[in-house]
Amino acid sequence: MRPTRLPSMEQLRALDAALRAGSFGQAGAALGLTHGAISRHVAALEAMLGAPLFRRGPKGAEPTALARRYHGEVAPLLAGIEDATRRAATRRRRAQDAGGEVRIGVVPTFAARWLLPRLPEFNAAHPAIRVDVVATTELQDPRRHGLDFLVRHGLPPWPGLEAELLLPETLRPVRSPDFKLRGTPSIKAIAQRIPLIFDVNRDHWAAWLAAAGWRGAPPDNGPVFSDFGLTLEAAAAGLGLALARGDLADREIASGRLVYAHPFAAPGPRAHHLARPAGPLRRPAQVLWDWMRARAAG
């Protein structure tokens, strides 16, 4: 017959300790209880099961076959509960340790086009961490500005900073769907005839054309915009071809405001890097650093 109620943890731990220690007295010492308390817990179990678990005698209490069989089934469950409780407590402590504020300095284009669309995902996974994003191109000494780390676009090394590649740069021409081309343009046509749009890093077009096999002089005419996002807007407005960089034109491509003008993609001369002062980060900052690396990888 099934018991009408379940035994308490105290009763099960008393049984476990009694069988492991070999006596009620030693079991009590192991659990910080008296001999009488162990005896009462065991008696309550016996009443629930309707059968004795120990034979009492002048030499102590001898476990019955039922006690050994019951203990063999209960002991792994007790160990599992203890392990699960320990793991839950560890996770909670880690979550508490990871809480706090993180301040990072990020180039504005990367902040708007890569980080901010993905930040809700991080907030959901790490609600105890508050991320403050400082969009700036003045990315020299993070500590001077109270920042934990930076996202820099360029080529390391940078003095006083440890850098780690975050997002490689892949260049590919894009255009407005309304910018008319007769099929896929040749590399020569792109280099010499089709209007091109430049950002302040004018060498992007030179790098792409060289990788595509162009051996002539790099183009040097066309409008120049101080921000990469503006070059994409200019392309969407039909002013010419711009170079998309990695994942930073995803929104325009997905919406159809821009389309790829040529299938060839080339590695860019720069990339986005995580950069920090030498030494370990605070734990919440390290959590964000690791998450950004994992998110960029995949």
Side-chain angles (χ1 to χ4, degrees), residues 183-200:
T184 300
S186 67
I187 300 301
K188 181 178 180 180
I190 294 175
Q192 294 186 333
R193 295 195 300 274
I194 297 175
L196 303 182
I197 301 167
F198 296 83
D199 62 15
V200 291

Side-chain angles (χ1 to χ4, degrees), residues 106-118:
V106 185
V107 288
T109 297
F110 183 86
R113 294 183 167 272
W114 192 92
L115 180 58
L116 296 186
R118 293 164 174 80

Side-chain angles (χ1 to χ4, degrees), residues 14-34:
L15 174 66
D16 179 64
L19 267 78
R20 292 180 186 278
S23 73
F24 287 5
Q26 292 182 21
L31 296 179
L33 299 174
T34 65

Side-chain angles (χ1 to χ4, degrees), residues 128-213:
I129 299 177
R130 192 184 84 189
V131 180
D132 290 349
V133 179
V134 179
T136 177
T137 57
E138 298 295 326
L139 300 176
Q140 303 299 326
D141 183 358
R143 288 170 295 195
R144 188 176 66 184
H145 302 286
L147 304 174
D148 288 286
F149 64 85
L150 309 171
V151 178
R152 292 191 61 165
H153 179 248
L155 290 174
W158 294 298
L161 295 176
E162 295 179 352
E164 186 171 341
L165 178 65
L166 177 64
L167 199 65
E169 193 169 72
T170 302
L171 306 176
R172 189 173 176 186
V174 293
R175 63 173 176 85
S176 165
D178 298 327
F179 187 86
K180 300 302 182 184
L181 291 174
R182 294 182 178 178
T184 300
S186 67
I187 300 301
K188 181 178 180 180
I190 294 175
Q192 294 186 333
R193 295 195 300 274
I194 297 175
L196 303 182
I197 301 167
F198 296 83
D199 62 15
V200 291
N201 297 311
R202 298 180 64 96
D203 55 353
H204 282 146
W205 271 115
W208 184 86
L209 287 166

Side-chain angles (χ1 to χ4, degrees), residues 238-252:
L239 297 184
L241 272 58
L243 278 175
R245 291 197 244 139
D247 299 333
L248 302 186
D250 284 353
R251 289 181 300 183
E252 286 79 6

Side-chain angles (χ1 to χ4, degrees), residues 62-81:
E62 180 70 22
T64 64
L66 174 62
R68 296 187 185 280
R69 191 179 312 117
Y70 184 53
H71 178 257
E73 295 174 347
V74 166
L77 302 179
L78 286 173
I81 292 172

